[in-house]
Amino acid sequence: MDACVQPGLLPVNEAIARILAALKPITATENVSLMDCLDRVLAENVIAPINVPGGDNSAMDGYALRHSDVHEELIVIGEAFAGHPFSGAIAAGQAVRIMTGGLVPAGADTVVMQENVTRHENKILINTRPDSGENIRRAGEDIAQESLVLSKGHLLTALDIGLLASLGIHQVNVFQRIKIALLTTGDELLMPGAPHQTGKIYDSNRPLLYALLKRLPVDVLDLGVVPDNPDSLRAAFLAAQQFADMVISTGGVSVGDADYTKDILAELGEINFWKIAMKPGKPFAFGLLGKNAQARATDCWFCGLPGNPVSTAVTYHQLVVPALRYLAGEIPAEPLVIKAVAIKTLKKQPGRMDFQRGIFSASNGVNSVSSAGLQSSGVLSGMGKANCYIRLAAERGTVTEGEIVDVVLFDRFIR
Ligand code: AMP
Ligand code: MG
């Protein structure tokens, strides 16, 4: 454990390592159409079945010819359009009219762009001498046949889909979506849309998490708000574990809370209640809720997030997203950390790693960052304005203006 962390608190990286060590990624796969594989995780390596491009072709509209002939007047003997190759071959003193994407005819080694040519009937004169091999896109220059294109465990992007299409691939083998059960706990929670009542608050965590989970290859069962009583909680968790690979709940995990969530979880599964050295989001529960539950072949894991909405969002992003991506078959990757100058003081107590919400900008070649406003864990409005975390190591104290700090830009998993 990190010596500079408050005693009894688990450092963030250690919490993530423990979670990943416990989880067993999904192994079930399915074939899906290329058109439906966005944001799915590849379950196999993709090897290029063909060269892309398939043959040498022209990068310009112009004339294909032999470079050794460019000083002469050449006779145009045919055409090569994209999709319509020239069937013959070029001999000395000959050229072929060629369009972008047209296959370079046999015998030709160079393409001259049409702007550099004077044409008179079927004859051309070259005004600007090209380099040998100019304007030719070589076979396999983009992707070589038999090369590894994408690896197992890769989350497919729109660009990947374009790439796979260029290889003629119309179906991919991906991991099945993992199943998530989502619930929030608290007698104070009202559904958005219900009339407001004194002493109650609207449940913002469930719509927030439901929306964020859409970014991941998961199916979500929304179990709604569960009141703070043992029977309701037990029934909700038992229902959830029949369906889910992971149950995500918010609320009721605070230290010293006399609520029932912890008791019921301890009764039903092997759940650890951790105090994590992070701010916001100290309390966090993780563990196994149902091992090989009767109706299921796989384990059901549990992540219990703190109830304050900012704590919910930050712990979800820092701890649950890596867990879900790993469970869904992805290869874990470290976040990209960039350096920026703090343009104002950032208050901090030593002891926990801070994930302050910041506004990053890069202007005139300088990376700078400032606080996105109130850093209280109940204030969701400040987080909405932020575009990054200012990640401050557990041991450090207040950051003074002008110091260099670590910034991690918000990614699509939190926006
Ligand atoms: P808890 O973790 O249950 O002790 O809750 C901590 C704080 O977060 C309390 O002020 C709760 O009212 C608030 N809270 C809990 N759950 C939610 C929720 N689903 N939406 C908004 N606020 C919540
Ligand atoms: Mg509560």
Side-chain angles (χ1 to χ4, degrees), residues 61-80:
D61 295 331
Y63 293 88
L65 42 76
R66 291 157 38 130
H67 188 254
S68 53
D69 283 352
V70 291
H71 53 279
E72 293 178 35
E73 189 180 62
L74 302 175
I75 298 175
V76 179
I77 58 163
E79 296 170 336

Side-chain angles (χ1 to χ4, degrees), residues 184-185 188-189 201-206 250-254 257 306-309:
T184 46
T185 68
E188 74 278 34
L189 300 179
I201 60 168
Y202 287 111
D203 177 10
S204 47
N205 290 343
R206 204 161 36 87
T250 76
V253 291
S254 300
D257 246 359
N308 274 311

Side-chain angles (χ1 to χ4, degrees), residues 61-65 76 95-98 110-112 114 117 119 124:
D61 295 331
Y63 293 88
L65 42 76
V76 179
V96 159
R97 175 82 173 123
I98 195 165
T110 301
V111 170
V112 183
Q114 66 188 29
V117 168
R119 179 161 181 171
I124 56 167

Side-chain angles (χ1 to χ4, degrees), residues 207-291:
L208 167 68
L209 291 173
Y210 192 86
L212 289 174
L213 285 164
K214 290 201 167 171
R215 302 282 195 205
L216 291 165
V218 303
D219 287 328
V220 183
L221 178 68
D222 180 3
L223 290 175
V225 175
V226 181
D228 290 320
N229 76 67
D231 292 339
S232 305
L233 286 165
R234 188 181 295 107
F237 289 137
L238 285 173
Q241 76 177 31
Q242 294 305 313
F243 166 83
D245 298 304
M246 185 178 279
V247 179
I248 300 173
S249 77
T250 76
V253 291
S254 300
V255 185
D257 246 359
D259 61 54
Y260 304 103
T261 311
K262 280 162 52 177
D263 300 342
I264 300 298
L265 287 171
E267 171 193 316
L268 295 179
E270 298 157 31
I271 313 286
N272 299 304
F273 293 90
W274 290 337
K275 287 188 246 169
I276 299 187
M278 68 185 287
K279 193 180 173 199
K282 189 158 69 175
F284 185 79
F286 172 74
L288 202 52
L289 185 56
K291 196 170 175 52

